[in-house]
Amino acid sequence: RAIFALDSKESAPGEPWQYYSAAIYKNIFKLIVYNYRHYLDQVELYNLESDPEELDNLASSKPELAYVLKSELLAALEQNASHL
């Protein structure tokens, strides 16, 4: 089961969010996608069990896992965009 989080500080209240950061927590992993004006489509992946302080970004060393989690996160955002 996945848990999702979304932060959209740069969006105006009541307007669709254009710039945001979103995260998916699944099993022992956390993936964050940043989509802000000066930080577009940046991805961070952490193993929360072995790295609870999120110091070792695994996105480049585990690209397949990052891709799967990012796809699941973006699909959930798209599916729920009308409810935000």
Side-chain angles (χ1 to χ4, degrees), residues 21-24 30-34 42-46 54 73:
S21 63
I24 178 172
K30 175 183 178 182
L31 179 113
I32 309 164
V33 174
Y34 295 96
Q42 300 295 312
V43 176
E44 296 177 3
L45 174 66
Y46 299 102
E54 301 177 14
L73 173 60

Side-chain angles (χ1 to χ4, degrees), residues 3-36:
I3 297 171
F4 301 95
L6 175 68
D7 180 35
S8 185
K9 293 178 188 153
E10 295 183 13
S11 297
E15 295 294 322
W17 41 271
Q18 181 178 7
Y19 300 105
Y20 60 88
S21 63
I24 178 172
Y25 297 80
K26 192 163 187 181
N27 299 319
I28 60 173
F29 293 99
K30 175 183 178 182
L31 179 113
I32 309 164
V33 174
Y34 295 96
N35 192 31
Y36 286 107

Side-chain angles (χ1 to χ4, degrees), residues 17 77-84:
W17 41 271
L77 288 175
E78 185 174 315
Q79 179 180 7
N80 291 292
S82 64
H83 303 293
L84 299 174

